[in-house]
Each structure stands twice: as structure tokens, then as C-alpha cells.
Amino acid sequence: MALPKYKTSRANTHSRRANWKASAAQTVTCPNCGAPALPHMACPSCGSFRGRIYREAIHSTHAK
Ligand SMILES: [Zn+2]
């Protein structure tokens, strides 16, 4: 197995890790209620997915 010849400097490590950023989750618009929802998941606002209501909606303080 290949081995690195030199120790990676702290500056190189930090500059590489400085580009690691969290990205916002991608959402789709619910066709039933229009709220943003995760794709391939039941809507957290109304609980519908592919034209069916799968469960009671999770009512959070964030929902409008
Ligand atoms: Zn919905």
C-alpha cells in the first residue's frame, strides 16, 4: 500500500478542512399542501405521499 512520504502540514490540513461545509437539505414542494418536504418522504406538514395520507402530521412550532 502506498504510504505518504511526508507529514501533511497543519496549514495544508486546515486549508483543506476549511472547504468542508454543511449544505442545506434539498426539499421538494408538497403537491397537497405546498409545504417544503424531503424528497421520497411523507410530507411533515400534512403526512401525504403519492396521493395518500400515511400518518398524522407532525405539528411543530416551525410549521406555518
Ligand atoms: Zn403536505
Side-chain angles (χ1 to χ4, degrees):
M1 230 175 105
L3 285 174
K5 201 167 204 173
Y6 300 106
K7 174 182 182 175
T8 304
S9 70
R10 196 184 308 176
N12 277 343
T13 301
H14 287 180
S15 66
R16 181 178 67 247
R17 290 180 184 172
N19 290 311
W20 193 95
K21 298 177 188 72
S23 59
Q26 189 181 10
T27 56
V28 295
T29 304
C30 174
N32 193 42
C33 68
L38 291 175
H40 312 114
M41 300 269 184
C43 173
S45 173
C46 65
S48 76
F49 185 66
R50 289 177 73 94
R52 285 173 58 191
I53 303 295
Y54 281 85
R55 54 163 169 71
E56 285 295 309
I58 299 168
H59 294 290
S60 70
T61 56
H62 299 291
K64 60 180 170 69

